[in-house]
Amino acid sequence: MVSSQGGEPGRAAGPAAHGSVEHAPKAVPDAASRAAGRRADRRAARITAGTQELERRLADLLRGGLAAADRPDFGLWEETAARMVDAQAPGLAARVRELSAVTASGPGWPGRLLEECALLHLLGSAWSGLDRLPGPLAATVRTRVGLTATADGPTVRDHWLVLARYDTPDGRIVTRRTWLYGRRSRRTALLLSYEAPGRAPAQTLPAGTEVDAEVTPYPGGGGLRAELGARFSEPVAVTEPPPGGSAAEAVAAYGHALREDPWLDAWPVVLREVIPVPSGDTWQLVDAADGSSLPMTPAALGRPALWTLVALSGGGPLTVFGECGHRGFDPRAAWCPEDAGSSGGAGSTPVMLV
């Protein structure tokens, strides 16, 4: 979304016969605005220096070979992440820290590590050429390196269905993710709130409810993240699941989203008529109509919610909301099959898979 502002020439303030035209004085930034601009420029310079150092470190790693990254005493990631924090690029620091877990991710880790290094290189290159990028992609790059933004997109009022809500530890804070679906706008929005460990984040919309409210999207990131605004009703319980698509359509939606954000790990989707089926050492969701399937992510396989999903299905199709990405599908909520009788059915609320 790109908005432009134009001005009109100043109008004559006195009689036309006098032949004089007074122009409105140009707005002069106040001292606070100028100081904020200087701080932003200094931070941008630090981030640029940080991305250049990151490029050198990645080049050194590739020049020496990836095998060194598997040594127990390999300290490049923590050291580099600390340098990115010094450069005021917390987004880069977080991505660098995540690399330390790749070497322990099982067979094939060198290929996965190379992919992640390539994405880091792409992000650094994108920052260096920020002024040449389209507006939405430039906003995504700013967010990915760690610059904060304000929710300044067009406000959307809708009846928002709360698809799922779950908390995840992120270092020294707890992040609450609340996924919404607009009945009329047919768009998905993500609300984020943060709190210290041991304290529940502020966002309290219960999953399985619907609320008439306004949300305002943040720039970049495919327009997913939003800020909750005015509410025009209290949350009320609903039983109708959102519309969904096939496994093939979910993969296509994720691929389309990557055009807006190449660093996107997953995209929210609703799958209709899918069945959880074991496949070797893993599980997958198979489309009951065309047989296409999505493997579940390793994170999903490690949660007890997998067995909740299997029990809800009972071998039959059901509706599942989750995140589809390059690691697979991570289910977050499920609606029971219509023939589930008194234990569920079309009139049941969603079951959270956390």
Side-chain angles (χ1 to χ4, degrees):
M1 293 169 289
V2 180
S3 61
S4 60
Q5 293 181 340
E8 294 181 356
R11 298 180 182 273
H18 291 175
S20 63
V21 177
E22 293 184 4
H23 294 277
K26 293 183 179 180
V28 179
D30 57 23
S33 299
R34 293 195 297 272
R38 288 193 295 271
R39 288 194 298 272
D41 290 342
R42 288 195 296 270
R43 182 175 184 183
R46 292 192 187 100
I47 294 174
T48 298
T51 59
Q52 292 170 348
E53 180 175 352
L54 178 62
E55 286 290 298
R56 291 193 295 271
R57 289 171 178 255
L58 290 175
D60 291 342
L61 172 66
L62 297 179
R63 191 178 299 112
L66 297 179
D70 196 28
R71 295 201 310 261
D73 60 343
F74 189 73
L76 176 64
W77 307 134
E78 279 302 323
E79 180 187 348
T80 304
R83 295 294 296 159
M84 296 304 102
V85 171
D86 293 341
Q88 294 185 293
L92 284 175
R95 294 192 73 91
V96 170
R97 286 195 182 97
E98 290 173 358
L99 297 181
S100 61
V102 176
T103 55
S105 62
W109 68 263
R112 291 189 290 274
L113 180 60
L114 186 60
E115 291 171 357
E116 294 299 326
C117 289
L119 286 172
L120 268 174
H121 167 72
L122 179 63
L123 185 54
S125 299
W127 173 264
S128 300
L130 195 65
D131 57 343
R132 300 190 298 272
L133 298 179
L137 183 55
T140 296
V141 172
R142 292 188 189 96
T143 300
R144 289 296 182 184
V145 299
L147 294 179
T148 57
T150 57
D152 57 4
T155 298
V156 180
R157 179 178 176 180
D158 206 336
H159 286 82
W160 296 95
L161 171 62
V162 185
L163 296 171
R165 190 188 76 184
Y166 53 93
D167 299 342
T168 54
D170 292 325
R172 288 176 288 182
I173 61 173
V174 174
T175 302
R176 171 163 291 177
R177 289 171 169 83
T178 305
W179 289 101
L180 307 179
Y181 174 78
R183 294 286 192 185
R184 291 192 298 267
S185 62
R186 300 178 67 85
R187 67 183 295 166
T188 305
L190 172 62
L191 308 180
L192 295 178
S193 55
Y194 306 94
E195 192 52 88
R199 300 176 59 183
Q203 195 56 253
T204 57
L205 290 176
T209 63
E210 187 173 289
V211 61
D212 182 5
E214 293 178 341
V215 301
T216 304
Y218 283 81
L224 274 183
R225 189 187 173 192
E227 182 178 275
L228 184 65
R231 301 190 204 180
F232 305 96
S233 72
E234 292 298 320
V236 294
V238 293
T239 58
E240 179 187 357
S246 66
E249 289 170 336
V251 174
Y254 174 57
H256 185 272
L258 285 174
R259 296 189 301 180
E260 299 288 333
D261 185 354
W263 304 274
L264 190 67
D265 285 329
W267 185 256
V269 295
V270 177
L271 301 177
R272 293 297 295 265
E273 300 292 309
V274 292
I275 306 170
V277 175
S279 176
D281 295 333
T282 185
W283 284 77
Q284 56 187 1
L285 292 173
V286 178
D287 193 296
D290 60 14
S292 59
S293 63
L294 280 175
M296 293 194 193
T297 63
L301 297 175
R303 296 200 308 266
L306 167 64
W307 305 111
T308 303
L309 180 64
V310 173
L312 286 172
S313 167
L318 70 171
T319 297
V320 183
F321 165 76
E323 298 169 62
C324 178
H326 61 91
R327 297 184 182 92
F329 185 83
D330 193 354
R332 290 296 178 177
W335 287 258
C336 296
E338 294 185 2
D339 59 355
S342 59
S343 63
S348 64
T349 56
V351 176
M352 295 298 103
L353 305 171
V354 295

